[in-house]
Amino acid sequence: MLKEVIQGDDGKIEGKQLSSPAEGVYIHGLYLEGAGWNKAEKKLEDSQPKELYYTFPILHVSAVSVAAGNPNQPGGGGGAKAKQELANLEKIAYSCPVYKYPLRNDRYLIFRVYLKAETNGAPQHPNKGLTAPMKWKLAGVSLLCTKD
Amino acid sequence: MITDFNYHIPDATEHTRFMEYIGKMPSNDGPPIFGLHPNADLTFRLQESTTMINVLLDTMPKEAAGAGGMSREDIVKEKIEKELLPMLPIDFIMLDVQDRLKQLKGPRGLGEAGNLQLIPLNIFLYQELQVFQSILTIVRRTMVDMVDAIDGSIIMTPEIVDSINAVFDFRVPKKWQYDPTGAEISWLTMSLAGWIKGLLDRHYQLNNWVFKERPASFWMTGFFNPQGFLTSMKQEVTRQRKA
């Protein structure tokens, strides 16, 4: 089984000419709604008042075989290990849906991206037991292809 | 507007205490109590006003003659002939495209191009081009039909009237966005200008890809079938690994 794995690869966009990645594709033109994006730490943060959309940096989307792991990625050796990594990712990252339009329904869902959530995000919310990924899920955070 | 009201279940047994507590609740519930960011309220209000303005636009009289003596039809005709038609990109010739696709290179390590079968994303590009071309054909056809119907050389059908009304109101004609069964065939936008810009941007990306080279970064919004795009990408990675 293959799964898209995404890394925010925004270091290269500004100024310099971007060249195609060795594997997978770069994608641009996405907007983040419901949360802000911390470029330096590559994670979600609360959006600023009146900032409804954030232009999302270029994404590197590639395929990783969950059964075989990724030989090019450090720590992506065996199948069990790759599965373990994915499980770990699910704990700290919000599985952010990418929609074609601001309408959030299954027809316009394209795929999902794991975005790192705040690791210390839980205490700022009054509800106990709310993990960081859950917070963003509740807030309806999503990546959109167009703003209107 | 955003209150610090503390929502909780009142710790009391008397009816009056409950009523008192309920009476203290704010009349507007802020988005944070649902876990949403306060900006969600702003989004909601923007949507509400846009909807209202659209309804107001729909109630505007349609039959009255426009200002300056020009009729509605004349305005639309001039707009199409002077602005819209010259803006349309030239058609893709599928034979040229097929020739070109045979030379188009794939990603690093994926064999030599020359065999179209080998490069999944190039097949995807061909499919996108076909869909784009069909949209472009529909758009050009409708525009020419509108002008001809206004001139009186073809019969004015209810469909053409709809399209003329849409162009007059700066909306996108239905025929460009939906097929006769009501399925979406292109991208959805509020305004005609936004739609035309979408058409030109899409053409730009596809045209550059097929006649220059594969772009370093893709504008995924511009694809008709983004899932297909990702599937093709997965196939390419798989084949790169196998080689």
Side-chain angles (χ1 to χ4, degrees):
Chain A
M1 187 194 122
L2 286 171
K3 205 165 168 102
E4 297 98 351
V5 162
I6 286 91
Q7 298 150 335
D9 225 342
D10 50 320
K12 295 172 198 157
I13 359 164
E14 274 131 36
K16 264 186 256 168
Q17 184 74 37
L18 191 77
S19 62
S20 296
E23 268 184 4
V25 288
Y26 287 130
I27 288 174
H28 67 271
L30 296 177
Y31 302 96
L32 187 66
E33 194 192 27
W37 184 246
N38 187 328
K39 268 193 171 184
E41 292 177 54
K42 294 184 182 173
K43 63 168 196 178
L44 290 165
E45 61 182 15
D46 275 315
S47 41
Q48 297 297 310
K50 290 194 184 174
E51 287 285 332
L52 295 186
Y53 301 101
Y54 285 80
T55 309
F56 204 69
I58 291 186
L59 272 180
H60 180 196
V61 185
S62 186
V64 164
S65 160
V66 174
N70 183 351
N72 297 344
Q73 224 165 17
K81 214 170 176 187
K83 262 183 210 147
Q84 183 59 42
E85 265 180 20
L86 206 68
N88 284 344
L89 199 63
E90 255 156 50
K91 274 184 211 139
I92 59 152
Y94 165 56
S95 164
C96 181
V98 182
Y99 291 108
K100 214 167 170 181
Y101 303 113
L103 284 169
R104 283 149 225 245
N105 65 30
D106 56 332
R107 259 180 86 191
Y108 298 132
L109 177 71
I110 302 173
F111 66 114
R112 284 173 181 272
V113 181
Y114 280 111
L115 298 180
K116 233 193 281 165
E118 282 169 303
T119 34
N120 55 355
Q124 56 180 259
H125 203 277
N127 289 357
K128 289 178 195 91
L130 193 80
T131 62
M134 277 157 82
K135 172 185 165 172
W136 299 117
K137 184 171 254 176
L138 204 56
V141 174
S142 52
L143 281 166
L144 309 174
C145 282
T146 59
K147 284 193 274 191
D148 51 22
Chain B
M1 163 64 222
I2 291 145
T3 52
D4 295 325
F5 188 78
N6 182 17
Y7 290 86
H8 62 93
I9 296 167
D11 182 23
T13 46
E14 299 92 356
H15 174 253
T16 44
R17 295 275 294 280
F18 271 95
M19 291 309 287
E20 214 175 276
Y21 175 77
I22 292 168
K24 278 192 287 187
M25 282 185 175
S27 51
N28 281 317
D29 302 315
I33 63 166
F34 302 110
L36 294 167
H37 191 272
N39 277 350
D41 197 43
L42 201 59
T43 310
F44 161 69
R45 280 155 193 252
L46 277 173
Q47 268 174 16
E48 200 178 37
S49 7
T50 318
T51 316
M52 194 184 74
I53 289 166
N54 279 335
V55 171
L56 284 176
L57 271 181
D58 279 345
T59 59
M60 288 212 330
K62 294 207 162 71
E63 301 306 324
M70 263 174 91
S71 75
R72 209 179 155 75
E73 276 78 18
D74 288 340
I75 294 172
V76 171
K77 188 186 163 199
E78 196 179 294
K79 191 174 158 70
I80 292 174
E81 281 183 331
K82 294 226 168 93
E83 281 179 48
L84 298 177
L85 266 178
M87 259 166 107
L88 287 186
I90 49 164
D91 287 336
F92 285 111
I93 311 216
M94 282 307 154
L95 284 173
D96 289 355
V97 167
Q98 280 167 4
D99 277 351
R100 185 58 207 145
L101 278 173
K102 284 179 190 143
Q103 302 153 24
L104 204 62
K105 284 211 183 77
R108 267 162 257 168
L110 201 92
E112 278 296 293
N115 186 353
L116 182 66
Q117 289 288 301
L118 273 175
I119 300 167
L121 267 181
N122 289 357
I123 298 169
F124 167 78
L125 170 61
Y126 184 56
Q127 290 165 349
E128 286 288 312
L129 281 165
Q130 281 176 315
V131 183
F132 182 85
Q133 185 51 50
S134 71
I135 300 287
L136 190 57
T137 312
I138 293 172
V139 171
R140 208 186 297 276
R141 184 77 255 149
T142 344
M143 283 188 185
V144 173
D145 278 355
M146 279 192 267
V147 172
D148 285 351
I150 291 168
D151 285 343
S153 46
I154 61 167
I155 295 167
M156 186 74 85
T157 64
E159 268 182 12
I160 297 177
V161 174
D162 270 353
S163 305
I164 291 173
N165 285 339
V167 172
F168 185 79
D169 297 335
F170 303 104
R171 282 184 292 111
V172 188
K174 261 217 170 75
K175 271 185 97 172
W176 299 359
Q177 285 182 325
Y178 303 97
D179 72 1
T181 64
E184 281 166 33
I185 51 168
S186 67
W187 46 99
L188 306 178
T189 58
M190 293 283 194
S191 69
L192 182 60
W195 196 90
I196 296 280
K197 187 176 181 300
L199 182 86
L200 298 178
D201 287 348
R202 277 165 178 89
H203 177 266
Y204 178 80
Q205 167 159 282
L206 294 174
N207 193 51
N208 268 359
W209 185 359
V210 70
F211 291 113
K212 276 190 189 158
E213 56 176 359
R214 173 178 295 205
S217 172
F218 294 91
W219 180 50
M220 199 174 64
T221 319
F223 293 136
F224 292 96
N225 179 7
Q227 282 95 345
F229 169 70
L230 293 171
T231 307
S232 300
M233 181 276 293
K234 283 192 219 173
Q235 286 174 355
E236 281 198 348
V237 175
T238 315
R239 287 185 198 183
Q240 277 178 306
R241 291 274 171 80
K242 261 192 173 164

